[in-house]
Amino acid sequence: MTAPVSRPVLRPARMWPGDVLRVGAVGLRTRPLRAFLSALGIAIGIAAMVAVVGVSSSSRADLDWTLAALGTNLLTVSPGSTLTGEKAQLPLESEAMVARIAPVREVTAIGLLDEAKVYRTDRVPETETKGIAAYAARTDLRAATGAELAGGAWLNPATGAYPAVVLGATAAERLGIGRPDPDMQILVGGRRFTVIGILAPAPLAPELDTAALVGWPAAESVLGFDGHPTTIYTRSREASVEDVRDVLGATANPAAPNEVDVSRPSDALAAKQAAGEAFTGLLLGLGAVALLVGGVGVANTMVISVLERRSEIGLRRSLGATRGQIRTQFLAESLLLSALGGAAGALIGVLITAGYALYQGWPSVVPAWAVAGGVAATLVIGAVAGLYPAVRASRLSPTEALAAA
């Protein structure tokens, strides 16, 4: 009796990672325009998301830098309203009383000159005040608020007693004054004042941007200022800011602490940043929609690719390719298509962020998680978009695929 002849077991050839990449790239190489348009949809969505996160992060970094430079320990005191709804008034002694608070390191003030209108010349109609307000200012105001000079000089004990004025950034722009000049004069309360300086924008004291600031003594002697401050600025120890905030109202106006408004300018900047972050969430949602649309485009491309390449599928199956290898081929093609779009979109988003940050004068910050997360999202989209076409391709029998070719 003869022994049975053992037959060799046929095993399909293994596909190494390099083989998977090569066969997956076939569809991209043979149909480059279609691949480009499909990847473009993915790229637009990723670019939008990365740019939104990058611009938001750059804006936040600029705010952090600004607050680090200017400090978060600035508090302001201003008159509120009386019980009858009228504008309240701070006492003449309010500055001195606030200065007695132990943690307070600096105290300064400005006083609004209600009747002193500001004009470029005497030929400007009275109604065209351009929203510029005149204030009496202490000589230490700039140091306490962190305001910087854009040009010229600041008020000092000498110039503060004479008709000299320093303009805020917006006020100078509205008056058409680009730089201070010894011969440059404007009208403040009907009197001529020499422009000796112009301030840069003041983030923590935006009211100074539209102000014409004159010395406290000159305001009293020339413009009839009554000496009542309208805004008091204080700098305290960082650890004691909240404690000082709690007692400022009662200290500035002991007789009517309810008629005093106390604020922290850095809180307003933080609130503005928070509002910007809410808007960022909306833009991220729009970017996600664009990414989803791009994923639908990839799925559509892959479905059409399966229909057009049935002869190739049938030939590969007849030569021994397994269903799993066919699935792997088309899934790899979908992943490659999405990865190319994701990488291009991430690069475009980084470039957009860098360009916008440079334009705004911000530090350019793109979180690594945004780039990595964007590319990872494209791979997930690619896998989901290519799964059905890959399964459909693997289910085609060799005879059916070749017959339909």
Side-chain angles (χ1 to χ4, degrees):
M1 184 174 180
T2 59
V5 178
S6 61
R7 296 180 180 179
V9 178
L10 299 178
R11 291 185 176 88
R14 293 185 61 181
M15 291 182 63
W16 299 97
D19 301 324
V20 173
L21 290 177
R22 278 194 294 272
V23 297
V26 169
L28 306 185
R29 292 198 304 267
T30 56
R31 297 167 179 81
L33 181 58
R34 182 185 298 172
F36 169 75
L37 293 177
S38 298
L40 182 62
I42 293 286
I44 290 174
I46 291 299
M49 298 178 73
V50 171
V52 166
V53 173
V55 169
S56 176
S57 299
S58 298
S59 174
R60 191 181 306 112
D62 180 69
L63 174 62
D64 293 340
W65 181 87
T66 299
L67 293 179
L70 299 177
T72 58
N73 61 338
L74 178 67
L75 296 173
T76 63
V77 180
S78 57
S81 300
T82 64
L83 294 177
T84 59
E86 298 177 353
K87 187 69 174 178
Q89 191 177 56
L90 293 176
L92 293 172
E93 307 81 12
S94 55
E95 282 182 82
M97 291 188 291
V98 168
R100 295 193 186 103
I101 301 175
V104 171
R105 293 291 176 262
E106 296 177 69
V107 179
T108 188
I110 57 174
L112 178 64
L113 306 172
D114 287 309
E115 303 301 325
K117 305 302 180 183
V118 181
Y119 301 98
R120 180 70 174 80
T121 67
D122 55 3
R123 298 186 180 184
V124 177
E126 290 186 4
T127 56
E128 295 185 11
T129 60
K130 300 183 182 296
I132 301 172
Y135 290 92
R138 299 294 190 187
T139 55
D140 55 356
L141 174 68
R142 190 174 70 85
T145 59
E148 298 290 339
L149 277 170
W154 176 244
L155 299 167
N156 56 44
T159 56
Y162 292 93
V165 61
V166 175
L167 298 175
T170 305
E173 180 181 351
R174 292 176 182 176
L175 291 173
I177 299 175
R179 58 185 180 84
D181 190 317
D183 298 326
M184 179 70 66
Q185 293 186 330
I186 62 173
L187 291 178
V188 181
R191 302 292 295 270
R192 293 191 176 275
F193 278 70
T194 301
V195 179
I196 63 171
I198 297 176
L199 292 177
L204 292 184
E207 61 275 7
L208 301 183
D209 293 342
T210 55
L213 303 165
V214 303
W216 205 278
E220 292 177 327
S221 61
V222 179
L223 300 175
F225 176 48
D226 61 8
H228 287 275
T230 51
T231 303
I232 298 174
Y233 303 91
T234 71
R235 290 277 187 180
S236 309
R237 291 198 303 261
E238 290 283 354
S240 306
V241 171
E242 293 301 329
D243 294 334
V244 172
R245 189 175 188 169
D246 292 339
V247 300
L248 265 180
T251 305
N253 191 354
N258 60 300
E259 297 179 0
V260 179
D261 292 334
V262 179
S263 62
R264 190 176 184 178
S266 59
D267 290 345
L269 294 179
K272 182 179 178 181
Q273 179 65 37
E277 290 177 356
F279 187 62
T280 295
L282 174 62
L283 293 180
L284 279 175
L286 295 177
V289 171
L291 182 59
L292 180 61
V293 171
V296 172
V298 171
N300 183 60
T301 297
M302 296 307 301
V303 169
I304 295 175
S305 180
V306 170
L307 295 175
E308 290 180 343
R309 297 163 62 187
R310 284 178 294 182
S311 60
E312 174 193 334
I313 296 170
L315 181 60
R316 290 200 63 211
R317 288 297 309 279
S318 64
L319 293 176
T322 64
R323 289 186 174 185
Q325 291 172 344
I326 296 297
R327 281 196 300 269
T328 301
Q329 173 186 348
F330 282 89
L331 192 58
E333 183 175 330
S334 177
L335 288 172
L336 281 174
L337 188 59
S338 299
L340 289 175
L347 178 59
I348 293 172
V350 170
L351 293 177
I352 291 174
T353 300
Y356 189 77
L358 180 63
Y359 173 75
Q360 293 287 350
W362 298 343
S364 180
V365 178
V366 180
W369 64 263
V371 177
V375 175
T378 62
L379 295 178
V380 173
I381 291 289
V384 173
L387 186 60
Y388 169 73
V391 172
R392 180 173 179 175
S394 69
R395 288 178 177 175
L396 289 174
S397 66
T399 56
E400 179 187 352
L402 289 173

